[in-house]
Amino acid sequence: MRHRLAAVTGRFFGGRKLTRARRLLRRRLSTSSSPSNCRSSLAVPVFLSEIAPSRIRGALNILFQLDITLGILFANIVNYATNKIKGGWGWRLSLGMGGIPALLLTLGAFLVVDTPTSLIERGRMEEGKAVLRKIRGTDNIEPEFLELVEASRVAKQIAIDKVSQLVFIQFLTVIEHDSVFHI
């Protein structure tokens, strides 16, 4: 099966010598367990952590994991029930029912707002305040907003420090590498 898939993707790329980008795309198309299958499992906890008040942040992330587990249980129950359908068309029903949560998530994605943290980090302070006011449901957001601004400033400073350290280490590596060959 894997060889057939590799042959099909090879024909897709015209049988030419594969560049690095084509090899990566070919590998992505020919493997079933790609990291893109897990993107929502990574993005949703980050989003929840950014918009949730600190007192319930952990509970929301635990509820998200519980929802994932209950979804897997529900999918297995549906697959078990549709497997018993006579005529061999139960798999179609099972596959179609899997589209319902996907449709709901797609529609829900249009309702998601930018997080106040992301707006602050992009320099859109007033929009960040408005979104924070909207998700908290109160006008008393100034202490939390100032905390987010300070956290953003500290994060940017840490990122700048890390980049300068990496550049310095790279510079030292180049100097060391050059001196080794000139001795």
Side-chain angles (χ1 to χ4, degrees):
M1 179 63 186
R2 186 166 256 214
H3 296 294
R4 285 186 189 165
L5 193 55
V8 168
T9 57
R11 288 191 194 117
F12 174 76
F13 290 113
R16 293 172 281 192
K17 184 178 178 184
L18 298 178
T19 64
R20 184 173 188 272
R22 286 186 178 137
R23 278 195 311 267
L24 289 173
L25 184 59
R26 182 177 176 179
R27 191 176 313 142
R28 175 73 71 154
L29 291 173
S30 64
T31 58
S32 61
S33 60
S34 67
S36 64
N37 295 337
C38 302
R39 283 197 184 125
S40 68
S41 302
L42 300 173
V44 172
V46 171
F47 179 77
L48 287 174
S49 294
E50 285 192 7
I51 66 165
S54 59
R55 66 183 186 280
I56 62 168
R57 191 170 294 150
L60 283 179
N61 280 315
I62 289 172
L63 283 175
F64 170 71
Q65 292 299 322
L66 179 64
D67 288 344
I68 295 287
T69 305
L70 291 176
I72 292 168
L73 174 67
F74 180 70
N76 281 316
I77 290 170
V78 167
N79 287 336
Y80 180 77
T82 56
N83 188 36
K84 304 292 182 188
I85 295 176
K86 302 267 192 252
W89 59 271
W91 67 271
R92 292 179 180 93
L93 182 62
S94 176
L95 191 62
M97 289 179 73
I100 294 170
L103 179 65
L104 291 174
L105 284 173
T106 303
L107 294 175
F110 291 111
L111 303 174
V112 174
V113 296
D114 280 332
T115 64
T117 306
S118 70
L119 291 168
I120 291 168
E121 288 183 359
R122 289 183 276 163
R124 296 161 53 185
M125 300 294 186
E126 290 306 315
E127 288 180 59
K129 264 188 186 179
V131 169
L132 189 60
R133 202 173 285 118
K134 179 181 176 183
I135 62 176
R136 295 294 181 258
T138 182
D139 287 334
N140 186 19
I141 52 128
E142 200 61 34
E144 186 177 1
F145 180 74
L146 292 175
E147 185 179 317
L148 289 174
V149 170
E150 179 62 19
S152 176
R153 185 193 65 74
V154 169
K156 282 181 185 176
Q157 186 59 43
I158 289 172
I160 289 170
D161 291 346
K162 289 289 184 188
V163 168
S164 62
Q165 285 176 358
L166 289 174
V167 168
F168 184 68
I169 290 170
Q170 186 68 30
F171 175 72
L172 289 178
T173 305
V174 168
I175 289 175
E176 183 181 292
H177 182 33
D178 285 345
S179 65
V180 169
F181 288 107
H182 292 297
I183 293 178

